[in-house]
Amino acid sequence: MRAIIVIAVIVLVLGLVGWLRFSSPDGDPTIRVDTEKVRQDTSTIVEKSKEAVDGAARSIDRAAENVDASIDREPIEQ
């Protein structure tokens, strides 16, 4: 029963996003997958993910440089 609910939710979400189209021309129900929209959306997601990862990597590099600059390299004499 859970599997059916999960599948129904996935189909609903795909329909809301615009990847699936439901129609019934001439009384014949059909489901169409808009592959071009899927390609465009996934390309956009991949590009935004790359930008986010690159930004995070730059932030980590800057933080590491700040930590290195703040570390006192001289030993403390007692």
Side-chain angles (χ1 to χ4, degrees):
M1 183 66 177
R2 289 182 191 170
I4 292 172
I5 293 172
V6 169
I7 291 171
V9 169
I10 290 171
V11 168
L12 178 65
V13 168
L14 292 177
L16 291 174
V17 174
W19 290 5
L20 289 179
R21 294 185 184 174
F22 305 97
S23 62
S24 60
D26 304 325
D28 185 25
T30 59
I31 299 174
R32 296 184 189 265
V33 177
D34 189 354
T35 56
E36 187 58 35
K37 181 148 177 59
V38 172
R39 272 192 210 106
Q40 290 173 353
D41 290 349
T42 54
S43 294
T44 302
I45 290 170
V46 167
E47 289 301 318
K48 287 184 179 183
S49 298
K50 285 180 183 178
E51 291 172 8
V53 168
D54 289 341
R58 284 191 297 271
S59 295
I60 291 171
D61 288 342
R62 282 194 300 264
E65 289 172 2
N66 291 340
V67 168
D68 285 343
S70 67
I71 294 176
D72 187 13
R73 302 283 180 189
E74 302 284 326
I76 298 175
E77 293 182 23
Q78 294 184 0

